């Protein structure tokens, strides 16, 4: 059985992922952002993460210009915003509270709906097929005591931990 685009998407859609909104600000002060589940840790030792940005993204030029962005992992309160930021809406920031990052060139920090956010500076960019991969240093981060929003196979969910048996699992 081959791995075409549909099978590839099915594979990655088979497990729940956290949802983030990646934000940036361009030199003119315009705000940009998109919904993403393509963010991952690279190294805790160097405090780096990787974000994948499609070449057609309107946020891409702002990241390339500013060499900075913010990753806003969403809490359960961020479901509606995730849908807006996944769209081509003209003003994606109209219905969200945000503050400018002091270390990521003013990238919007979505303080009311974020589970956590990371303020990042680009260290490297790699062109791969129809995307750019940005490896960035996390200069600052904040975590809030909220429940994370998850996405799987076109549907949303909220983390619901089941701590029963944790002691048994840790003994393995």
């Amino acid at each position: 059985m081959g791995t075409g685009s549909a099978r590839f998407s099915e594979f990655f859609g088979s497990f729940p992922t956290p949802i983030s909104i990646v934000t940036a600000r361009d030199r003119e002060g315009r705000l940009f952002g998109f919904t993403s589940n393509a963010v991952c840790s690279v190294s805790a030792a160097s405090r780096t993460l990787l974000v994948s940005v499609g070449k057609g993204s309107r946020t891409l030029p702002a990241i390339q210009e500013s060499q900075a962005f913010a990753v806003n992992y969403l809490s359960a309160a961020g479901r509606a915003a995730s849908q807006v930021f996944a769209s081509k809406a003209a003003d994606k920031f109209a219905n969200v509270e945000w503050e400018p990052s002091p270390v990521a060139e003013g990238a919007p920090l979505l303080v009311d709906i974020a589970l956590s956010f990371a303020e990042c500076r680009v260290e490297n960019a790699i062109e791969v097929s129809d995307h750019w991969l940005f490896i960035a240093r996390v200069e600052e981060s904040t975590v809030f005591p909220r429940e994370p929003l998850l996405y799987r196979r076109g549907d949303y969910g909220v983390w619901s931990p089941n701590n029963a048996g944790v002691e048994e699992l840790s003994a393995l």
Side-chain angles (χ1 to χ4, degrees):
M1 198 180 311
T3 302
S5 293
R7 172 95 44 214
F8 183 82
S9 294
E10 181 183 20
F11 169 74
F12 277 102
S14 68
F15 52 89
T17 60
I19 303 170
S20 67
I21 294 176
V22 178
T23 59
R25 189 177 216 156
D26 70 9
R27 289 183 187 133
E28 287 78 43
R30 294 176 297 191
L31 306 178
F32 295 89
F34 66 95
T35 301
S36 176
N37 67 350
V39 178
C40 68
S41 169
V42 174
S43 171
S46 61
R47 299 184 334 267
T48 52
L49 60 74
L50 178 144
V51 64
S52 179
V53 183
K55 287 183 179 176
S57 170
R58 292 183 287 175
T59 307
L60 178 61
I63 293 172
Q64 290 172 321
E65 285 178 14
S66 67
Q67 292 291 290
F69 58 87
V71 174
N72 298 271
Y73 275 111
L74 297 180
S75 71
R79 180 178 178 162
S82 77
Q83 294 169 331
V84 170
F85 279 81
S87 75
K88 299 290 184 191
D91 185 3
K92 295 179 180 183
F93 293 88
N95 295 311
V96 295
E97 294 289 325
W98 64 274
E99 295 175 4
S101 166
V103 297
E105 302 299 321
L109 305 174
L110 307 179
V111 294
D112 286 350
I113 60 171
L115 169 70
S116 59
F117 53 76
E119 300 168 74
C120 307
R121 291 203 175 269
V122 174
E123 290 195 343
N124 198 359
I126 304 163
E127 185 176 10
V128 179
S129 186
D130 60 346
H131 280 70
W132 278 93
L133 305 179
F134 291 96
I135 298 170
R137 175 178 298 279
V138 176
E139 299 291 345
E140 295 288 338
S141 63
T142 301
V143 178
F144 300 98
R146 300 171 181 158
E147 294 301 314
L149 184 64
L150 301 173
Y151 187 78
R152 179 180 180 255
R153 292 189 178 157
D155 199 8
Y156 292 89
V158 177
W159 176 252
S160 180
N162 180 359
N163 291 323
V166 169
E167 291 176 8
E168 294 171 20
L169 290 174
S170 64
L172 297 177

